[in-house]
């Protein structure tokens, strides 16, 4: 068993498990309050959330892979570029109109992200710098995918009565199902003799470390709340 917990795709799968738990919460609340109109949704196809789930899966996998190659502080700062990409995509694809102060704020975000990215490459060997730089590219690429996901969610949810817990739950179910299947293949697809992702090794490390267990449970719970809040805001602001 490796000393470091280097399992970005396994972590992404656990994140989707957190999202899927929102569906359980929705069903419990609807069962307890059957007369509450809040839990009565319009008829829709679950496939409506397949595309956002695929974006979520790709973005989360990229982010965790980038985090493994970069630094936690840089990771958090570069995640702020999602504001920039979401603003641009909302104008191009959703026909939104942004005011001057919006563009100014997005420009400041761009400058801040560039400063953080350049500063993180200061010092160290050339190989180390290249490793960190590749990680930063993956993190920024993930934010572009997240921005696409947000635009898709706004487009699909606009004008529809779908509870936020139900929406997040379906995204989690789709994402968990697809990524679980991919994890099987990743265990046999090797690069330089090492699998792209080894779920058995991840479970082995989790079973021997209470710190990892607490961290993973915290990640699952926080992701569930994060996505619920995100989709709730999207529905209210659309």
């Amino acid at each position: 068993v490796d000393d470091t917990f280097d399992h970005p795709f396994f972590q992404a799968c656990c994140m989707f498990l957190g999202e899927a738990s929102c569906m359980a919460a929705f069903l419990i609340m609807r069962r307890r309050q059957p007369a509450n109109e809040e839990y009565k949704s319009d008829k829709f196809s679950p496939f409506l959330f397949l595309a956002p789930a695929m974006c979520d899966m790709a973005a989360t996998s990229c982010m965790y892979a980038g985090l493994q190659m970069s630094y936690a502080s840089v990771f958090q700062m570069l995640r702020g570029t999602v504001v920039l990409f979401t603003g641009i995509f909302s104008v191009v694809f959703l026909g939104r109109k942004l005011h001057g102060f919006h563009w100014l704020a997005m420009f400041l975000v761009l400058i801040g992200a560039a400063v953080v990215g350049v500063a993180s490459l200061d010092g160290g060997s050339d190989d180390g710098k290249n490793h960190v730089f590749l990680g930063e590219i993956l993190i920024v690429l993930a934010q572009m995918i997240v921005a696409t996901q947000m635009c898709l969610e706004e487009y699909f949810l606009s004008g529809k009565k779908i509870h936020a817990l139900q929406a997040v739950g379906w995204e989690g179910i789709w994402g968990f199902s697809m990524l679980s299947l991919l994890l099987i293949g990743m265990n046999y697809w090797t690069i330089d003799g090492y699998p792209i992702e080894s779920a058995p090794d991840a479970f082995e490390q989790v079973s021997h470390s209470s710190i990892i267990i607490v961290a993973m449970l915290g990640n699952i719970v926080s992701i569930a709340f994060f996505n619920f809040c995100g989709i709730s805001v999207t529905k209210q602001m659309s």
Side-chain angles (χ1 to χ4, degrees), residues 112-152:
V115 170
V116 170
V118 172
S120 66
L121 299 176
D122 187 27
S125 63
D126 289 340
D127 289 340
K129 290 180 181 179
N130 293 336
H131 195 71
V132 173
F133 182 63
L134 178 58
E136 293 175 353
I137 290 177
L138 289 174
I139 295 170
V140 174
L141 175 62
Q143 305 320 303
M144 297 178 66
I145 301 174
V146 170
T148 303
Q149 176 192 347
M150 290 182 175
C151 290
L152 286 173

Side-chain angles (χ1 to χ4, degrees), residues 48-109:
L48 189 70
F49 297 99
L50 179 58
M54 293 180 66
C55 289
D56 200 357
M57 179 178 65
T60 304
S61 299
C62 281
M63 277 194 285
Y64 281 130
L67 175 59
Q68 300 288 345
M69 304 171 70
S70 184
Y71 310 101
S73 57
V74 176
F75 170 78
Q76 290 294 346
M77 294 295 290
L78 292 182
R79 286 188 67 181
T81 56
V82 68
V83 175
L84 172 65
F85 296 120
T86 303
I88 294 174
F89 290 174
S90 66
V91 171
V92 175
F93 300 113
L94 299 178
R96 299 294 185 190
K97 182 178 180 181
L98 300 183
H99 299 289
F101 62 87
H102 291 135
W103 290 108
L104 175 61
M106 289 160 57
F107 177 73
L108 293 176
V109 169

